[in-house]
Structure formats: structure tokens, C-alpha cells
Amino acid sequence: MRDSSEGGRLDSFDLAILDILQKDNGTPQRVIGEKVNLSSAAVHRRIRRMQEEGVIVGNYAVVDPLRVGLPFTVVVEVHVESERLDLLDAAKRSFAGDPQVQQCYYVTGEADFVLIVTVPSMSAYEALTRRLFFGNNNVKKFRTLVVMDRIKTGLAVTLDDA
Amino acid sequence: MRDSSEGGRLDSFDLAILDILQKDNGTPQRVIGEKVNLSSAAVHRRIRRMQEEGVIVGNYAVVDPLRVGLPFTVVVEVHVESERLDLLDAAKRSFAGDPQVQQCYYVTGEADFVLIVTVPSMSAYEALTRRLFFGNNNVKKFRTLVVMDRIKTGLAVTLDDA
DNA sequence: GTTGAAAATAAACATGG
DNA sequence: CCATGTTTATTTTCAAC
């Protein structure tokens, strides 16, 4: 196994293709080819290579939480008691394994974890706090920030040339 | 224009389809049909309807930030001076408009905004703080939480039946 | 839900840098 | 030799019934 940045570097074609796919991965390869001045076959090969190399992590449809009965988004800061590795790992698994936890970050600074949570109701959030926080001895405290406006929500990333 | 929850309610077929598309929107409609016991045409019509109705917000490829030269993710809590609507709006626009700001939430509680930021270096983050925070009189203070581990990062949502 | 046409993807091949 | 473009085959999408 090679190092973690396996695979060759990305050229400007790759970046241009990624730029398009990040906005709409349903864009036909033919259209992408026209925009970046490449044949559709070349586009196809590059996309496949980037998938294999892990540059492209996945291809997802994004659903509006409001339309599927999940009107509440909550940001939670979690503080732990001990930073023992096994306890941190247990917490990570517990947070990541919960289907209502959309995102989970382990952070330095004034908190230890930041979670983005999507729930159908505030009582469901309360249940989640019991499940994940009160049910975990290693959680010292947590701060709840209720989202009033989801101003920007993508996972897209800026792609300037290196 | 109808109310914001325009469109009929989603049945369990829709939810099953969304479940699959949230994991991989490249899944052929034929395969989806096999999994949910529907003809591929029915699947096709349902997907199109959900796109038109806004249940499906978009279809995106997700890129690994590490592989495109953005190794640092930062969570920022922003506190504002005044909650005047025009000032809040200006802040929202400024945050959302910045390409390095991946996500931006307006929240209640001990902070006013939570940002998820992706940057090539910590000095780029410093530049961002100058741009967005020090350059904005209405930003009272901000807390920086540097992400050490991105444990879970999707936008996928749990789809239990209502 | 089934069928068939149009379109897209994916493989095979040949070529220039 | 690697990456491209062209051609061909396969698969998928999408509209008509």
C-alpha cells in the first residue's frame, strides 16, 4: 500500500470535471466534455479513475429534510470527561452510528465533538440526548444550538489549482 | 403557489427509493426497482416527481477535501453584536458567499452562527477570519474549533415512515 | 407495467505526444 | 508508454402505450 495521497496529482481537467460534478453529478459526460474540451471517453476515464483513487468519495442525492418530516436541525457541542483513546473511540462509534446524527466532528478547542443532528421534533432530540449523552458516562456536558436557518448546507469544496 | 409542503405525501416506495439514492444516486433505476419491487418506469416517474417537487434538492458528487489540497476543516461559532435584520442578512450573505464556507447555520442559543469551513492551511483560515469576522463590525467574537477527525460527514437523512 | 426509441455509459481499438 | 479521440457495443433513461 502506498501513502495516503495515493494516485497522481489532479490536473486542471480533473478539477474542472469535479467542479461540474459537485454541482450536478447527473451531467452527461458528453456535456462535461464540451465544457472542458475533452472527449466524453476521456471524461469517463478520468471520473472512473478519481472514483477508484478516492478523490470522489461518493455520489449522493440530497433530500430536503423539511419534506421528509425532519424539520429540526440542531448543532451540538459535546464535552467529554476523559480523552482516553478507547473512550473516545466508543463515543465516536456511538455518535456516528446514530441515524439522526448527520455529521460528527472530533475537534480541538473548547469542545471535543461537534454534531449536526436532524430530528422530527424537539422531543426526539431530547430522546437523542438521553441515548447519546446521558447514557454515556464519558460525556461531561453538551451545548445545544437549535438551527433557525440553514443558510448553506453543501459539502462542495473550492477547487483552485494547486 | 401552494404552501411550502407542496406535493403529495411520500409513501414507503418513495422513502425506499430516496434511501437508495442518498447512498448512491448512480444506482440504475432497474436495480432500484428490483430492490423496492417496482418497475423501472415507476421508479423513474417517482424520482422525476420528487425532483420537481423539491424533495430531492440536488445530485452531487462529494470530493475528499484532503485529496484536493484542503486538509483543514474548522467549525466556527460566531457571535454578533446586533440582531437587526438587515445586519443579520448582510452577515448571512457574506458567510454564504465565501467559497471556503461549506456550511452556515443561523442558530439560537449561545451563538448566532455556526460555520463549517474548509481551508488549505491555517493561514488561509486566518485570512478568512480577517475577511469575514474582523472585517465585519457586527461580529462581536468567534470561537474556533479545529477538526481533528471527520467522523461522519454526509447530508443523508433518516427516512422512517411518518 | 410493458415495450421501444433515444441517449448515455463503457469497452475496444488506433494514434499522437 | 500514457492519455487522447474515434468507433462500437452495452446499458440506461425516458416517453408512448
Side-chain angles (χ1 to χ4, degrees), chain B residues 21-58:
Chain B
L21 293 179
Q22 284 195 125
K23 293 197 187 75
D24 179 6
N25 73 353
T27 313
Q29 296 163 358
R30 176 183 52 80
V31 174
I32 298 175
E34 287 161 12
K35 297 203 191 194
V36 304
N37 279 343
L38 232 48
S39 74
S40 72
V43 172
H44 178 247
R45 280 188 290 258
R46 283 166 182 272
I47 292 175
R48 227 162 67 102
R49 179 175 51 72
M50 291 193 283
Q51 309 245 40
E52 286 165 358
E53 288 177 357
V55 175
I56 295 173
V57 171

PDB file of all heavy atoms in Angstrom, chain B residues 21-58:
ATOM      1  N   LEU B  21     -31.003   6.365  -3.177  1.00  0.00           N
ATOM      2  CA  LEU B  21     -30.366   7.479  -3.887  1.00  0.00           C
ATOM      3  C   LEU B  21     -29.464   8.293  -2.976  1.00  0.00           C
ATOM      4  O   LEU B  21     -28.485   8.887  -3.427  1.00  0.00           O
ATOM      5  CB  LEU B  21     -31.427   8.388  -4.508  1.00  0.00           C
ATOM      6  CG  LEU B  21     -32.240   7.761  -5.642  1.00  0.00           C
ATOM      7  CD1 LEU B  21     -33.268   8.759  -6.158  1.00  0.00           C
ATOM      8  CD2 LEU B  21     -31.331   7.300  -6.769  1.00  0.00           C
ATOM      9  N   GLN B  22     -29.797   8.325  -1.700  1.00  0.00           N
ATOM     10  CA  GLN B  22     -28.932   9.054  -0.763  1.00  0.00           C
ATOM     11  C   GLN B  22     -27.599   8.342  -0.586  1.00  0.00           C
ATOM     12  O   GLN B  22     -26.606   8.974  -0.243  1.00  0.00           O
ATOM     13  CB  GLN B  22     -29.610   9.176   0.604  1.00  0.00           C
ATOM     14  CG  GLN B  22     -30.698  10.217   0.651  1.00  0.00           C
ATOM     15  CD  GLN B  22     -31.072  10.563   2.085  1.00  0.00           C
ATOM     16  OE1 GLN B  22     -31.035  11.709   2.482  1.00  0.00           O
ATOM     17  NE2 GLN B  22     -31.438   9.564   2.864  1.00  0.00           N
ATOM     18  N   LYS B  23     -27.596   7.037  -0.806  1.00  0.00           N
ATOM     19  CA  LYS B  23     -26.332   6.297  -0.689  1.00  0.00           C
ATOM     20  C   LYS B  23     -25.566   6.313  -1.996  1.00  0.00           C
ATOM     21  O   LYS B  23     -24.341   6.370  -2.013  1.00  0.00           O
ATOM     22  CB  LYS B  23     -26.611   4.842  -0.300  1.00  0.00           C
ATOM     23  CG  LYS B  23     -27.191   4.672   1.082  1.00  0.00           C
ATOM     24  CD  LYS B  23     -27.042   3.210   1.545  1.00  0.00           C
ATOM     25  CE  LYS B  23     -27.783   2.980   2.856  1.00  0.00           C
ATOM     26  NZ  LYS B  23     -29.256   2.904   2.674  1.00  0.00           N
ATOM     27  N   ASP B  24     -26.289   6.234  -3.119  1.00  0.00           N
ATOM     28  CA  ASP B  24     -25.642   6.235  -4.431  1.00  0.00           C
ATOM     29  C   ASP B  24     -26.669   6.572  -5.490  1.00  0.00           C
ATOM     30  O   ASP B  24     -27.456   5.716  -5.899  1.00  0.00           O
ATOM     31  CB  ASP B  24     -25.011   4.873  -4.707  1.00  0.00           C
ATOM     32  CG  ASP B  24     -24.353   4.826  -6.077  1.00  0.00           C
ATOM     33  OD1 ASP B  24     -24.284   5.876  -6.757  1.00  0.00           O
ATOM     34  OD2 ASP B  24     -23.900   3.742  -6.483  1.00  0.00           O
ATOM     35  N   ASN B  25     -26.614   7.801  -5.959  1.00  0.00           N
ATOM     36  CA  ASN B  25     -27.605   8.219  -6.942  1.00  0.00           C
ATOM     37  C   ASN B  25     -27.260   7.750  -8.353  1.00  0.00           C
ATOM     38  O   ASN B  25     -27.977   8.050  -9.295  1.00  0.00           O
ATOM     39  CB  ASN B  25     -27.812   9.733  -6.896  1.00  0.00           C
ATOM     40  CG  ASN B  25     -26.642  10.508  -7.476  1.00  0.00           C
ATOM     41  OD1 ASN B  25     -25.605   9.937  -7.803  1.00  0.00           O
ATOM     42  ND2 ASN B  25     -26.794  11.799  -7.589  1.00  0.00           N
ATOM     43  N   GLY B  26     -26.180   7.003  -8.476  1.00  0.00           N
ATOM     44  CA  GLY B  26     -25.873   6.391  -9.759  1.00  0.00           C
ATOM     45  C   GLY B  26     -26.514   5.021  -9.921  1.00  0.00           C
ATOM     46  O   GLY B  26     -26.403   4.409 -10.981  1.00  0.00           O
ATOM     47  N   THR B  27     -27.166   4.551  -8.899  1.00  0.00           N
ATOM     48  CA  THR B  27     -27.839   3.256  -8.973  1.00  0.00           C
ATOM     49  C   THR B  27     -28.862   3.251 -10.105  1.00  0.00           C
ATOM     50  O   THR B  27     -29.724   4.120 -10.142  1.00  0.00           O
ATOM     51  CB  THR B  27     -28.553   2.951  -7.650  1.00  0.00           C
ATOM     52  OG1 THR B  27     -27.677   3.210  -6.569  1.00  0.00           O
ATOM     53  CG2 THR B  27     -29.038   1.518  -7.619  1.00  0.00           C
ATOM     54  N   PRO B  28     -28.768   2.309 -11.031  1.00  0.00           N
ATOM     55  CA  PRO B  28     -29.732   2.260 -12.134  1.00  0.00           C
ATOM     56  C   PRO B  28     -31.151   2.076 -11.617  1.00  0.00           C
ATOM     57  O   PRO B  28     -31.387   1.373 -10.631  1.00  0.00           O
ATOM     58  CB  PRO B  28     -29.294   1.042 -12.942  1.00  0.00           C
ATOM     59  CG  PRO B  28     -27.870   0.834 -12.589  1.00  0.00           C
ATOM     60  CD  PRO B  28     -27.711   1.302 -11.176  1.00  0.00           C
ATOM     61  N   GLN B  29     -32.076   2.697 -12.312  1.00  0.00           N
ATOM     62  CA  GLN B  29     -33.482   2.605 -11.915  1.00  0.00           C
ATOM     63  C   GLN B  29     -33.966   1.162 -11.950  1.00  0.00           C
ATOM     64  O   GLN B  29     -34.836   0.772 -11.169  1.00  0.00           O
ATOM     65  CB  GLN B  29     -34.319   3.489 -12.840  1.00  0.00           C
ATOM     66  CG  GLN B  29     -33.966   4.955 -12.708  1.00  0.00           C
ATOM     67  CD  GLN B  29     -34.455   5.801 -13.865  1.00  0.00           C
ATOM     68  OE1 GLN B  29     -35.040   5.293 -14.822  1.00  0.00           O
ATOM     69  NE2 GLN B  29     -34.217   7.098 -13.781  1.00  0.00           N
ATOM     70  N   ARG B  30     -33.394   0.380 -12.836  1.00  0.00           N
ATOM     71  CA  ARG B  30     -33.747  -1.035 -12.888  1.00  0.00           C
ATOM     72  C   ARG B  30     -33.401  -1.751 -11.583  1.00  0.00           C
ATOM     73  O   ARG B  30     -34.204  -2.486 -11.013  1.00  0.00           O
ATOM     74  CB  ARG B  30     -32.991  -1.707 -14.057  1.00  0.00           C
ATOM     75  CG  ARG B  30     -33.162  -3.181 -14.183  1.00  0.00           C
ATOM     76  CD  ARG B  30     -32.306  -3.715 -15.340  1.00  0.00           C
ATOM     77  NE  ARG B  30     -30.910  -3.286 -15.234  1.00  0.00           N
ATOM     78  CZ  ARG B  30     -30.009  -3.857 -14.451  1.00  0.00           C
ATOM     79  NH1 ARG B  30     -30.334  -4.879 -13.687  1.00  0.00           N
ATOM     80  NH2 ARG B  30     -28.763  -3.411 -14.425  1.00  0.00           N
ATOM     81  N   VAL B  31     -32.199  -1.470 -11.071  1.00  0.00           N
ATOM     82  CA  VAL B  31     -31.766  -2.086  -9.814  1.00  0.00           C
ATOM     83  C   VAL B  31     -32.613  -1.581  -8.647  1.00  0.00           C
ATOM     84  O   VAL B  31     -33.020  -2.358  -7.778  1.00  0.00           O
ATOM     85  CB  VAL B  31     -30.270  -1.781  -9.563  1.00  0.00           C
ATOM     86  CG1 VAL B  31     -29.836  -2.277  -8.199  1.00  0.00           C
ATOM     87  CG2 VAL B  31     -29.421  -2.380 -10.672  1.00  0.00           C
ATOM     88  N   ILE B  32     -32.886  -0.287  -8.648  1.00  0.00           N
ATOM     89  CA  ILE B  32     -33.752   0.265  -7.600  1.00  0.00           C
ATOM     90  C   ILE B  32     -35.087  -0.443  -7.632  1.00  0.00           C
ATOM     91  O   ILE B  32     -35.624  -0.848  -6.596  1.00  0.00           O
ATOM     92  CB  ILE B  32     -33.936   1.782  -7.801  1.00  0.00           C
ATOM     93  CG1 ILE B  32     -32.596   2.501  -7.693  1.00  0.00           C
ATOM     94  CG2 ILE B  32     -34.927   2.337  -6.778  1.00  0.00           C
ATOM     95  CD1 ILE B  32     -32.673   3.996  -8.000  1.00  0.00           C
ATOM     96  N   GLY B  33     -35.617  -0.614  -8.860  1.00  0.00           N
ATOM     97  CA  GLY B  33     -36.910  -1.281  -8.996  1.00  0.00           C
ATOM     98  C   GLY B  33     -36.892  -2.677  -8.405  1.00  0.00           C
ATOM     99  O   GLY B  33     -37.828  -3.078  -7.707  1.00  0.00           O
ATOM    100  N   GLU B  34     -35.808  -3.407  -8.649  1.00  0.00           N
ATOM    101  CA  GLU B  34     -35.716  -4.762  -8.086  1.00  0.00           C
ATOM    102  C   GLU B  34     -35.747  -4.712  -6.559  1.00  0.00           C
ATOM    103  O   GLU B  34     -36.420  -5.508  -5.917  1.00  0.00           O
ATOM    104  CB  GLU B  34     -34.429  -5.440  -8.558  1.00  0.00           C
ATOM    105  CG  GLU B  34     -34.470  -5.861 -10.032  1.00  0.00           C
ATOM    106  CD  GLU B  34     -33.073  -6.101 -10.603  1.00  0.00           C
ATOM    107  OE1 GLU B  34     -32.111  -6.166  -9.808  1.00  0.00           O
ATOM    108  OE2 GLU B  34     -32.948  -6.208 -11.846  1.00  0.00           O
ATOM    109  N   LYS B  35     -35.025  -3.750  -5.994  1.00  0.00           N
ATOM    110  CA  LYS B  35     -34.933  -3.691  -4.538  1.00  0.00           C
ATOM    111  C   LYS B  35     -36.245  -3.290  -3.890  1.00  0.00           C
ATOM    112  O   LYS B  35     -36.554  -3.736  -2.784  1.00  0.00           O
ATOM    113  CB  LYS B  35     -33.834  -2.705  -4.117  1.00  0.00           C
ATOM    114  CG  LYS B  35     -32.459  -3.111  -4.574  1.00  0.00           C
ATOM    115  CD  LYS B  35     -31.378  -2.465  -3.711  1.00  0.00           C
ATOM    116  CE  LYS B  35     -30.011  -2.684  -4.355  1.00  0.00           C
ATOM    117  NZ  LYS B  35     -28.890  -2.391  -3.453  1.00  0.00           N
ATOM    118  N   VAL B  36     -37.001  -2.411  -4.541  1.00  0.00           N
ATOM    119  CA  VAL B  36     -38.214  -1.921  -3.896  1.00  0.00           C
ATOM    120  C   VAL B  36     -39.470  -2.574  -4.475  1.00  0.00           C
ATOM    121  O   VAL B  36     -40.579  -2.233  -4.065  1.00  0.00           O
ATOM    122  CB  VAL B  36     -38.333  -0.382  -4.011  1.00  0.00           C
ATOM    123  CG1 VAL B  36     -37.098   0.283  -3.443  1.00  0.00           C
ATOM    124  CG2 VAL B  36     -38.561   0.045  -5.444  1.00  0.00           C
ATOM    125  N   ASN B  37     -39.274  -3.510  -5.425  1.00  0.00           N
ATOM    126  CA  ASN B  37     -40.408  -4.184  -6.046  1.00  0.00           C
ATOM    127  C   ASN B  37     -41.323  -3.229  -6.811  1.00  0.00           C
ATOM    128  O   ASN B  37     -42.500  -3.066  -6.491  1.00  0.00           O
ATOM    129  CB  ASN B  37     -41.237  -4.942  -4.995  1.00  0.00           C
ATOM    130  CG  ASN B  37     -40.622  -6.266  -4.649  1.00  0.00           C
ATOM    131  OD1 ASN B  37     -39.771  -6.774  -5.392  1.00  0.00           O
ATOM    132  ND2 ASN B  37     -41.046  -6.830  -3.540  1.00  0.00           N
ATOM    133  N   LEU B  38     -40.693  -2.622  -7.814  1.00  0.00           N
ATOM    134  CA  LEU B  38     -41.439  -1.720  -8.685  1.00  0.00           C
ATOM    135  C   LEU B  38     -40.791  -1.817 -10.066  1.00  0.00           C
ATOM    136  O   LEU B  38     -39.613  -2.173 -10.169  1.00  0.00           O
ATOM    137  CB  LEU B  38     -41.305  -0.286  -8.155  1.00  0.00           C
ATOM    138  CG  LEU B  38     -42.547   0.557  -7.906  1.00  0.00           C
ATOM    139  CD1 LEU B  38     -43.595  -0.186  -7.114  1.00  0.00           C
ATOM    140  CD2 LEU B  38     -42.163   1.830  -7.174  1.00  0.00           C
ATOM    141  N   SER B  39     -41.542  -1.511 -11.086  1.00  0.00           N
ATOM    142  CA  SER B  39     -40.933  -1.484 -12.416  1.00  0.00           C
ATOM    143  C   SER B  39     -40.006  -0.280 -12.503  1.00  0.00           C
ATOM    144  O   SER B  39     -40.166   0.701 -11.782  1.00  0.00           O
ATOM    145  CB  SER B  39     -42.010  -1.380 -13.487  1.00  0.00           C
ATOM    146  OG  SER B  39     -42.544  -0.081 -13.510  1.00  0.00           O
ATOM    147  N   SER B  40     -39.031  -0.381 -13.395  1.00  0.00           N
ATOM    148  CA  SER B  40     -38.085   0.721 -13.503  1.00  0.00           C
ATOM    149  C   SER B  40     -38.785   1.996 -13.964  1.00  0.00           C
ATOM    150  O   SER B  40     -38.373   3.092 -13.601  1.00  0.00           O
ATOM    151  CB  SER B  40     -36.948   0.353 -14.450  1.00  0.00           C
ATOM    152  OG  SER B  40     -37.409   0.337 -15.775  1.00  0.00           O
ATOM    153  N   ALA B  41     -39.845   1.843 -14.731  1.00  0.00           N
ATOM    154  CA  ALA B  41     -40.579   3.040 -15.168  1.00  0.00           C
ATOM    155  C   ALA B  41     -41.233   3.735 -13.989  1.00  0.00           C
ATOM    156  O   ALA B  41     -41.226   4.968 -13.889  1.00  0.00           O
ATOM    157  CB  ALA B  41     -41.620   2.656 -16.217  1.00  0.00           C
ATOM    158  N   ALA B  42     -41.799   2.960 -13.098  1.00  0.00           N
ATOM    159  CA  ALA B  42     -42.423   3.550 -11.911  1.00  0.00           C
ATOM    160  C   ALA B  42     -41.376   4.275 -11.082  1.00  0.00           C
ATOM    161  O   ALA B  42     -41.609   5.391 -10.598  1.00  0.00           O
ATOM    162  CB  ALA B  42     -43.105   2.463 -11.082  1.00  0.00           C
ATOM    163  N   VAL B  43     -40.230   3.635 -10.945  1.00  0.00           N
ATOM    164  CA  VAL B  43     -39.139   4.285 -10.217  1.00  0.00           C
ATOM    165  C   VAL B  43     -38.772   5.600 -10.889  1.00  0.00           C
ATOM    166  O   VAL B  43     -38.645   6.638 -10.232  1.00  0.00           O
ATOM    167  CB  VAL B  43     -37.908   3.361 -10.147  1.00  0.00           C
ATOM    168  CG1 VAL B  43     -36.715   4.098  -9.582  1.00  0.00           C
ATOM    169  CG2 VAL B  43     -38.229   2.126  -9.318  1.00  0.00           C
ATOM    170  N   HIS B  44     -38.660   5.535 -12.196  1.00  0.00           N
ATOM    171  CA  HIS B  44     -38.296   6.737 -12.958  1.00  0.00           C
ATOM    172  C   HIS B  44     -39.285   7.872 -12.712  1.00  0.00           C
ATOM    173  O   HIS B  44     -38.888   9.003 -12.438  1.00  0.00           O
ATOM    174  CB  HIS B  44     -38.248   6.386 -14.443  1.00  0.00           C
ATOM    175  CG  HIS B  44     -37.939   7.536 -15.324  1.00  0.00           C
ATOM    176  ND1 HIS B  44     -38.837   8.058 -16.217  1.00  0.00           N
ATOM    177  CD2 HIS B  44     -36.827   8.297 -15.417  1.00  0.00           C
ATOM    178  CE1 HIS B  44     -38.285   9.084 -16.842  1.00  0.00           C
ATOM    179  NE2 HIS B  44     -37.075   9.256 -16.388  1.00  0.00           N
ATOM    180  N   ARG B  45     -40.563   7.561 -12.804  1.00  0.00           N
ATOM    181  CA  ARG B  45     -41.578   8.597 -12.608  1.00  0.00           C
ATOM    182  C   ARG B  45     -41.518   9.160 -11.205  1.00  0.00           C
ATOM    183  O   ARG B  45     -41.610  10.377 -10.988  1.00  0.00           O
ATOM    184  CB  ARG B  45     -42.965   8.015 -12.887  1.00  0.00           C
ATOM    185  CG  ARG B  45     -43.294   7.922 -14.356  1.00  0.00           C
ATOM    186  CD  ARG B  45     -44.751   7.529 -14.575  1.00  0.00           C
ATOM    187  NE  ARG B  45     -44.987   6.150 -14.197  1.00  0.00           N
ATOM    188  CZ  ARG B  45     -45.100   5.148 -15.089  1.00  0.00           C
ATOM    189  NH1 ARG B  45     -44.971   5.394 -16.371  1.00  0.00           N
ATOM    190  NH2 ARG B  45     -45.332   3.928 -14.679  1.00  0.00           N
ATOM    191  N   ARG B  46     -41.320   8.314 -10.229  1.00  0.00           N
ATOM    192  CA  ARG B  46     -41.264   8.806  -8.841  1.00  0.00           C
ATOM    193  C   ARG B  46     -40.058   9.706  -8.625  1.00  0.00           C
ATOM    194  O   ARG B  46     -40.167  10.753  -7.971  1.00  0.00           O
ATOM    195  CB  ARG B  46     -41.212   7.626  -7.873  1.00  0.00           C
ATOM    196  CG  ARG B  46     -42.563   6.959  -7.668  1.00  0.00           C
ATOM    197  CD  ARG B  46     -42.417   5.611  -6.985  1.00  0.00           C
ATOM    198  NE  ARG B  46     -43.696   4.933  -6.816  1.00  0.00           N
ATOM    199  CZ  ARG B  46     -44.486   5.109  -5.754  1.00  0.00           C
ATOM    200  NH1 ARG B  46     -44.105   5.889  -4.770  1.00  0.00           N
ATOM    201  NH2 ARG B  46     -45.631   4.477  -5.674  1.00  0.00           N
ATOM    202  N   ILE B  47     -38.932   9.318  -9.165  1.00  0.00           N
ATOM    203  CA  ILE B  47     -37.743  10.157  -8.996  1.00  0.00           C
ATOM    204  C   ILE B  47     -37.972  11.526  -9.630  1.00  0.00           C
ATOM    205  O   ILE B  47     -37.685  12.561  -9.034  1.00  0.00           O
ATOM    206  CB  ILE B  47     -36.499   9.475  -9.605  1.00  0.00           C
ATOM    207  CG1 ILE B  47     -36.127   8.233  -8.796  1.00  0.00           C
ATOM    208  CG2 ILE B  47     -35.328  10.441  -9.656  1.00  0.00           C
ATOM    209  CD1 ILE B  47     -34.983   7.418  -9.389  1.00  0.00           C
ATOM    210  N   ARG B  48     -38.539  11.507 -10.835  1.00  0.00           N
ATOM    211  CA  ARG B  48     -38.755  12.782 -11.501  1.00  0.00           C
ATOM    212  C   ARG B  48     -39.720  13.666 -10.710  1.00  0.00           C
ATOM    213  O   ARG B  48     -39.492  14.870 -10.566  1.00  0.00           O
ATOM    214  CB  ARG B  48     -39.283  12.560 -12.925  1.00  0.00           C
ATOM    215  CG  ARG B  48     -38.531  13.402 -13.930  1.00  0.00           C
ATOM    216  CD  ARG B  48     -38.733  12.891 -15.310  1.00  0.00           C
ATOM    217  NE  ARG B  48     -40.105  13.069 -15.733  1.00  0.00           N
ATOM    218  CZ  ARG B  48     -40.475  14.046 -16.560  1.00  0.00           C
ATOM    219  NH1 ARG B  48     -39.579  14.901 -16.995  1.00  0.00           N
ATOM    220  NH2 ARG B  48     -41.705  14.146 -16.954  1.00  0.00           N
ATOM    221  N   ARG B  49     -40.761  13.054 -10.205  1.00  0.00           N
ATOM    222  CA  ARG B  49     -41.718  13.825  -9.419  1.00  0.00           C
ATOM    223  C   ARG B  49     -41.038  14.434  -8.190  1.00  0.00           C
ATOM    224  O   ARG B  49     -41.209  15.617  -7.885  1.00  0.00           O
ATOM    225  CB  ARG B  49     -42.884  12.915  -8.993  1.00  0.00           C
ATOM    226  CG  ARG B  49     -43.941  13.618  -8.147  1.00  0.00           C
ATOM    227  CD  ARG B  49     -45.142  12.731  -7.854  1.00  0.00           C
ATOM    228  NE  ARG B  49     -44.794  11.423  -7.320  1.00  0.00           N
ATOM    229  CZ  ARG B  49     -44.338  11.202  -6.096  1.00  0.00           C
ATOM    230  NH1 ARG B  49     -44.140  12.214  -5.273  1.00  0.00           N
ATOM    231  NH2 ARG B  49     -44.044   9.991  -5.696  1.00  0.00           N
ATOM    232  N   MET B  50     -40.217  13.648  -7.520  1.00  0.00           N
ATOM    233  CA  MET B  50     -39.576  14.161  -6.309  1.00  0.00           C
ATOM    234  C   MET B  50     -38.565  15.258  -6.629  1.00  0.00           C
ATOM    235  O   MET B  50     -38.372  16.172  -5.829  1.00  0.00           O
ATOM    236  CB  MET B  50     -38.942  13.006  -5.539  1.00  0.00           C
ATOM    237  CG  MET B  50     -39.982  12.062  -4.941  1.00  0.00           C
ATOM    238  SD  MET B  50     -39.318  10.895  -3.737  1.00  0.00           S
ATOM    239  CE  MET B  50     -38.519   9.693  -4.790  1.00  0.00           C
ATOM    240  N   GLN B  51     -37.955  15.176  -7.804  1.00  0.00           N
ATOM    241  CA  GLN B  51     -37.072  16.268  -8.195  1.00  0.00           C
ATOM    242  C   GLN B  51     -37.887  17.532  -8.414  1.00  0.00           C
ATOM    243  O   GLN B  51     -37.532  18.605  -7.913  1.00  0.00           O
ATOM    244  CB  GLN B  51     -36.354  15.937  -9.515  1.00  0.00           C
ATOM    245  CG  GLN B  51     -35.673  14.593  -9.523  1.00  0.00           C
ATOM    246  CD  GLN B  51     -34.167  14.699  -9.643  1.00  0.00           C
ATOM    247  OE1 GLN B  51     -33.553  15.574  -9.032  1.00  0.00           O
ATOM    248  NE2 GLN B  51     -33.584  13.792 -10.401  1.00  0.00           N
ATOM    249  N   GLU B  52     -38.978  17.400  -9.161  1.00  0.00           N
ATOM    250  CA  GLU B  52     -39.787  18.575  -9.481  1.00  0.00           C
ATOM    251  C   GLU B  52     -40.381  19.197  -8.225  1.00  0.00           C
ATOM    252  O   GLU B  52     -40.471  20.416  -8.112  1.00  0.00           O
ATOM    253  CB  GLU B  52     -40.917  18.178 -10.436  1.00  0.00           C
ATOM    254  CG  GLU B  52     -40.427  17.925 -11.861  1.00  0.00           C
ATOM    255  CD  GLU B  52     -41.476  17.181 -12.686  1.00  0.00           C
ATOM    256  OE1 GLU B  52     -42.538  16.835 -12.141  1.00  0.00           O
ATOM    257  OE2 GLU B  52     -41.197  16.940 -13.887  1.00  0.00           O
ATOM    258  N   GLU B  53     -40.777  18.359  -7.293  1.00  0.00           N
ATOM    259  CA  GLU B  53     -41.410  18.878  -6.091  1.00  0.00           C
ATOM    260  C   GLU B  53     -40.396  19.403  -5.077  1.00  0.00           C
ATOM    261  O   GLU B  53     -40.769  19.938  -4.050  1.00  0.00           O
ATOM    262  CB  GLU B  53     -42.258  17.778  -5.429  1.00  0.00           C
ATOM    263  CG  GLU B  53     -43.518  17.451  -6.199  1.00  0.00           C
ATOM    264  CD  GLU B  53     -44.292  16.320  -5.548  1.00  0.00           C
ATOM    265  OE1 GLU B  53     -43.791  15.777  -4.547  1.00  0.00           O
ATOM    266  OE2 GLU B  53     -45.380  15.998  -6.041  1.00  0.00           O
ATOM    267  N   GLY B  54     -39.129  19.198  -5.347  1.00  0.00           N
ATOM    268  CA  GLY B  54     -38.124  19.712  -4.425  1.00  0.00           C
ATOM    269  C   GLY B  54     -37.823  18.798  -3.251  1.00  0.00           C
ATOM    270  O   GLY B  54     -37.120  19.198  -2.324  1.00  0.00           O
ATOM    271  N   VAL B  55     -38.365  17.585  -3.274  1.00  0.00           N
ATOM    272  CA  VAL B  55     -37.991  16.628  -2.228  1.00  0.00           C
ATOM    273  C   VAL B  55     -36.518  16.287  -2.379  1.00  0.00           C
ATOM    274  O   VAL B  55     -35.773  16.258  -1.402  1.00  0.00           O
ATOM    275  CB  VAL B  55     -38.854  15.357  -2.326  1.00  0.00           C
ATOM    276  CG1 VAL B  55     -38.384  14.317  -1.328  1.00  0.00           C
ATOM    277  CG2 VAL B  55     -40.320  15.699  -2.121  1.00  0.00           C
ATOM    278  N   ILE B  56     -36.113  16.055  -3.628  1.00  0.00           N
ATOM    279  CA  ILE B  56     -34.690  15.886  -3.923  1.00  0.00           C
ATOM    280  C   ILE B  56     -34.135  17.253  -4.281  1.00  0.00           C
ATOM    281  O   ILE B  56     -34.529  17.864  -5.270  1.00  0.00           O
ATOM    282  CB  ILE B  56     -34.486  14.894  -5.078  1.00  0.00           C
ATOM    283  CG1 ILE B  56     -34.963  13.501  -4.654  1.00  0.00           C
ATOM    284  CG2 ILE B  56     -33.024  14.861  -5.502  1.00  0.00           C
ATOM    285  CD1 ILE B  56     -34.959  12.484  -5.784  1.00  0.00           C
ATOM    286  N   VAL B  57     -33.239  17.724  -3.451  1.00  0.00           N
ATOM    287  CA  VAL B  57     -32.699  19.070  -3.615  1.00  0.00           C
ATOM    288  C   VAL B  57     -31.649  19.108  -4.711  1.00  0.00           C
ATOM    289  O   VAL B  57     -31.516  20.089  -5.437  1.00  0.00           O
ATOM    290  CB  VAL B  57     -32.089  19.546  -2.278  1.00  0.00           C
ATOM    291  CG1 VAL B  57     -31.343  20.835  -2.459  1.00  0.00           C
ATOM    292  CG2 VAL B  57     -33.172  19.673  -1.223  1.00  0.00           C
ATOM    293  N   GLY B  58     -30.864  18.060  -4.821  1.00  0.00           N
ATOM    294  CA  GLY B  58     -29.807  18.054  -5.818  1.00  0.00           C
ATOM    295  C   GLY B  58     -29.089  16.725  -5.850  1.00  0.00           C
ATOM    296  O   GLY B  58     -29.326  15.854  -5.006  1.00  0.00           O
TER     297      GLY B  58
END
